Amino acid sequence: MTTASPDNSLRSVYDGAFAGIQQCVQSFSAQLLPREVGSIVSVSTGIARINGLQNVGFEELLVFPGGLSGITFNLDEDGVDVVLLGDYAHLHAGQEVQRSGRVMDVGVGDALLGRVIDPLGRPLDGLGRVLTEQRLPIERPAAPIMDRAPVTEPLQTGLKVLDALIPIGRGQRELILGDRQTGKTAIALDTIYNQRDKNVLCVYCAIGQRASAVAKAVANLRAKGALAYTVMVVAEGNEAPGLSYIAPYAATSIAEHFMEAGRDVLIVYDDLTHHARAYRELSLLLRRPPGREAFPGDIFYIHSRMLERATHLNEARGGGSLTALPIIETEAQNISAYIPTNLISITDGQIVLSPSLFELGVLPAIDVGQSVSRVGGKAQRAAYRAVAGDLKLAYAQFEELETFARFGARLDEETRQSIEHGKRIRACLGQAEFSPVSVPAQIAILLALNTKLFDPVALERMAAAQQAVEEAANALADELRTRLSGVDKLTDADREQVSAAARQALAAFSSTDNAAPGAKTAIEKTP
C-alpha cells in the first residue's frame, strides 16, 4: 500500500486554493457607481452655500470634510443652503461635499438608557460608543387619529399641587412656563425622579442649556438612581444652532421607539424657547422672510409637528404612551408673547410658575389660578377627585381674600377662618425638591386638609405635621394602600380609616393658639 507524499498533499491544497481564487477573479465584474459631488461656495454662521448638487432633496443629509454633517434647507436654482451640525471652523470655499442619499436619523433602543448623548447620537458621558441596532429618522409623521386611545392613566409627578390640582395623564402634552429661575426644570426633574419603579421610561432633552446646568441635572439624576431609566439628549448653548434645532426631534424619535414597543414614556423639552431662537437664527441667516418678533412664518409648525407625536396609542398599536412636558421661558410673566401663545394653543394645558411666589419661598411656585390641565382630570384617580375636588376653589378664594386683607380691611370671623385655612393649604402644597410623596400619603394629606384637621396646627409646625401624616399613611395596611393607589372610588370605610390615622398623627400638633399673632383681632395684615 502506497501513501501520498507530504509534497503531493501540500501541492493539491495550493492547487485547490489557487483554482478558487482564479474562479472568483473571473466571476468578478467591476461596477461603477455614480456619485454626486458638490463644492462649498461660502460658509457663514452655521450655514453653508453649496452648488453642483443637482438632485439633492430637501432635508437630505450631506457629508462635509472632516466627517461634519449638514441638512439641506433651501433648494434654489443656483445652489442649496445647508444647516451645519457641528463645528465648521475647518470648512472653506472650494471643498468637496457629498450626498448621503438619506435623511437625518438617530440610533434608538435600550442601549441608550442611562446614557448622555448629543443629537447625532454621539456619547457625551465618556462611557464609550453607543451600540444601537436600529435607526429612525428624526422627522416622522405623528400617529393617525384612529391609532390613538383616550388618556385614562395618570402620570404621577409626586408633587401634591400637581397630582391634586393640575393632574397629568399618560399621553398628554402639558406646558411648563415661567420666568427665569422660577423652578421649571426642578418640576421636570422631580417628575422624572418620581417615575422610579413605575415602569415609565424618560427622555430629557436639554436645548441651549449651560454645560454646568446640564452636568448638575445629570449628577442629580444619577445620585437618585433615575438615570438608569432616562436618556439625556444634550445640545449645549455653545453648540452650532443646527444641533439645537434637531435636538428635540431626535429625542422624540428615541422616545417614539419605546412608545411603539408598548411602553410608557415621558419626554421633557428644556426648553423650547432656545429651540425657537435657534430656528429664528437659522431662518434669518437663510434669508427667509421674518414675521412677528422676527420669527419665520412656520415657527408654529416646527413645534406642532413635534408635539403632535406625543399621544396614547390604542391596543392594536401596543398601547404605549408618550407624555410631553415642554418648557418655555417667559419674560416678565408675559404669557401672551408669540412663542408662549403658540405652545399654549398646541398643548393640553399649562403649568404657570410665579416669580412672586418663588420670592416668598412657596415652592414649587405654581400659580394655581392660571394653571390648568385639559385632560388630566379624566385620568385622575377617583380617590384623588374625592379628596381634591373642592381644594382648587378653596385655594383660589383664599388668594383673593388674602389680597383683600392686605389693605387692612375689617374681617369677620368666617373670613378670618377661610384665610387661616388657605394658609394651611398653601403650606401643604409646598414641597422640597426631590422629595416625592406617594399616592396614599397624598390622599391622606388632602383628606386631612378637606376636613380641616390641619387648621389647629400652627403654621411653623406644618412641615412636621405633614411628615407625621405621611408616615401614618405609609404605615396603613397594605390592602388599604393598594386600594388608595388603584382605580376604585374611596369608600366611607376607607375615608374614615385614613381620617382616623391622620387625626391620630396630628393630635400632638394641635394648638388652641394656632394663628399668627394678632390673627384674632378685627384687622389682619398678611405679609
Side-chain angles (χ1 to χ4, degrees):
M1 182 176 180
T2 61
T3 58
S5 65
D7 293 340
N8 292 335
S9 177
L10 186 61
R11 185 179 297 108
S12 63
V13 172
Y14 279 125
D15 290 343
F18 285 125
I21 293 174
Q22 185 176 7
Q23 183 179 0
C24 292
V25 170
Q26 291 175 350
S27 62
F28 174 77
S29 59
Q31 295 182 353
L32 297 178
L33 298 177
R35 188 183 66 177
E36 193 168 349
V37 177
S39 61
I40 300 175
V41 177
S42 63
V43 180
S44 58
T45 307
I47 301 294
R49 181 76 175 172
I50 310 297
N51 64 10
L53 299 178
Q54 299 298 325
N55 300 311
V56 68
F58 179 65
E59 291 192 347
E60 182 177 342
L61 193 67
L62 301 183
V63 181
F64 288 80
L68 178 65
S69 300
I71 302 176
T72 57
F73 256 51
N74 284 356
L75 303 178
D76 301 326
E77 292 182 359
D78 57 343
V80 297
D81 291 321
V82 182
V83 173
L84 302 174
L85 305 178
D87 185 13
Y88 50 86
H90 64 284
L91 298 183
H92 55 81
Q95 288 182 312
E96 184 180 282
V97 182
Q98 299 181 20
R99 291 182 58 190
S100 68
R102 60 187 178 91
V103 296
M104 179 64 202
D105 55 18
V106 65
V108 297
D110 290 348
L112 294 174
L113 294 174
R115 300 302 301 271
V116 183
I117 62 173
D118 70 359
L120 300 177
R122 298 175 299 196
L124 300 176
D125 50 11
L127 299 179
R129 292 181 57 193
V130 181
L131 302 177
T132 55
E133 298 179 355
Q134 184 181 356
R135 300 186 70 86
L136 290 178
I138 64 171
E139 294 270 15
R140 305 179 70 210
I145 297 297
M146 298 306 295
D147 290 346
R148 305 188 181 205
V151 177
T152 57
E153 185 76 13
L155 181 88
Q156 300 295 146
T157 65
L159 300 171
K160 299 186 291 292
V161 62
L162 291 183
D163 292 339
L165 305 182
I166 317 161
I168 301 172
R170 298 188 182 185
Q172 186 176 344
R173 301 173 289 264
E174 185 77 5
L175 178 66
I176 303 174
L177 73 162
D179 288 5
R180 291 186 70 252
Q181 301 296 321
T182 51
K184 302 184 296 296
T185 300
I187 290 176
L189 294 180
D190 273 335
T191 304
I192 291 176
Y193 174 47
N194 194 57
Q195 305 315 309
R196 187 175 184 178
D197 301 326
K198 291 183 174 57
N199 198 27
V200 176
L201 302 179
C202 303
V203 178
Y204 178 83
C205 180
I207 311 167
Q209 302 293 317
R210 300 188 311 274
S212 58
V214 174
K216 181 180 177 181
V218 172
N220 286 334
L221 292 178
R222 180 177 284 117
K224 300 294 182 180
L227 195 60
Y229 53 85
T230 303
V231 182
M232 304 281 288
V233 181
V234 179
E236 295 178 0
N238 59 348
E239 298 282 1
L243 283 178
S244 295
Y245 168 69
I246 69 168
Y249 298 102
T252 306
S253 290
I254 293 171
E256 271 186 327
H257 170 75
F258 296 124
M259 176 186 70
E260 291 170 354
R263 309 176 80 169
D264 293 317
V265 190
L266 167 68
I267 184 167
V268 176
Y269 304 103
D270 189 9
D271 64 41
L272 292 186
T273 304
H274 289 97
H275 182 247
R277 290 171 181 166
Y279 186 67
R280 176 173 61 182
E281 179 182 354
L282 294 173
S283 297
L284 294 176
L285 289 168
L286 291 169
R287 299 185 181 277
R288 294 185 176 182
R292 177 178 167 185
E293 298 179 21
F295 285 104
D298 61 344
I299 190 69
F300 180 91
Y301 177 58
I302 73 165
H303 288 152
S304 63
R305 73 175 187 254
M306 177 176 63
L307 291 171
E308 277 297 319
R309 294 160 70 178
T311 185
H312 179 206
L313 298 177
N314 57 27
E315 292 299 326
R317 288 285 304 273
S321 69
L322 176 56
T323 308
L325 292 181
I327 297 176
I328 276 291
E329 181 183 297
T330 57
E331 296 179 357
Q333 296 180 268
N334 182 20
I335 65 174
S336 61
Y338 190 28
I339 301 303
T341 51
N342 277 352
L343 283 153
I344 287 173
S345 63
I346 295 170
T347 52
D348 308 313
Q350 66 272 356
I351 299 168
V352 181
L353 281 83
S354 168
S356 57
L357 291 177
F358 188 86
E359 292 166 1
L360 290 173
V362 180
L363 301 176
I366 296 175
D367 189 331
V368 176
Q370 295 191 70
S371 303
V372 64
S373 175
R374 302 187 186 99
V375 175
K378 296 291 184 181
Q380 195 176 29
R381 299 296 191 206
Y384 268 106
R385 289 197 296 271
V387 299
D390 300 329
L391 199 61
K392 190 169 185 178
L393 177 61
Y395 189 67
Q397 290 175 342
F398 153 69
E399 289 184 320
E400 292 293 331
L401 289 173
E402 186 184 38
T403 303
F404 180 69
R406 286 197 180 100
F407 296 101
R410 187 175 297 274
L411 304 177
D412 56 29
E413 182 63 22
E414 183 179 355
T415 303
R416 189 195 66 80
Q417 290 178 358
S418 297
I419 291 178
E420 289 299 320
H421 179 60
K423 289 180 179 179
R424 280 144 185 84
I425 295 177
R426 174 182 286 170
C428 281
L429 295 182
Q431 199 166 329
E433 190 175 359
F434 291 116
S435 57
V437 181
S438 65
V439 173
Q442 287 194 39
I443 291 176
I445 292 172
L446 296 174
L447 184 59
L449 265 179
N450 268 349
T451 54
K452 299 187 176 181
L453 295 181
F454 281 107
D455 285 11
V457 180
L459 281 175
E460 60 270 14
R461 304 188 68 190
M462 281 295 296
Q466 281 190 80
Q467 184 65 31
V469 173
E470 186 175 345
E471 293 173 357
N474 293 332
L476 293 172
D478 292 341
E479 183 180 354
L480 177 57
R481 286 171 49 81
T482 302
R483 287 201 303 272
L484 293 177
S485 302
V487 297
D488 296 333
K489 293 184 178 180
L490 199 64
T491 65
D492 292 339
D494 293 340
R495 182 188 293 267
E496 181 56 36
Q497 195 170 348
V498 175
S499 296
R503 193 177 295 110
Q504 183 177 358
L506 293 174
F509 297 91
S510 297
S511 171
T512 55
D513 187 16
N514 57 16
K520 295 189 177 183
T521 61
I523 297 177
E524 173 178 333
K525 295 182 179 180
T526 57

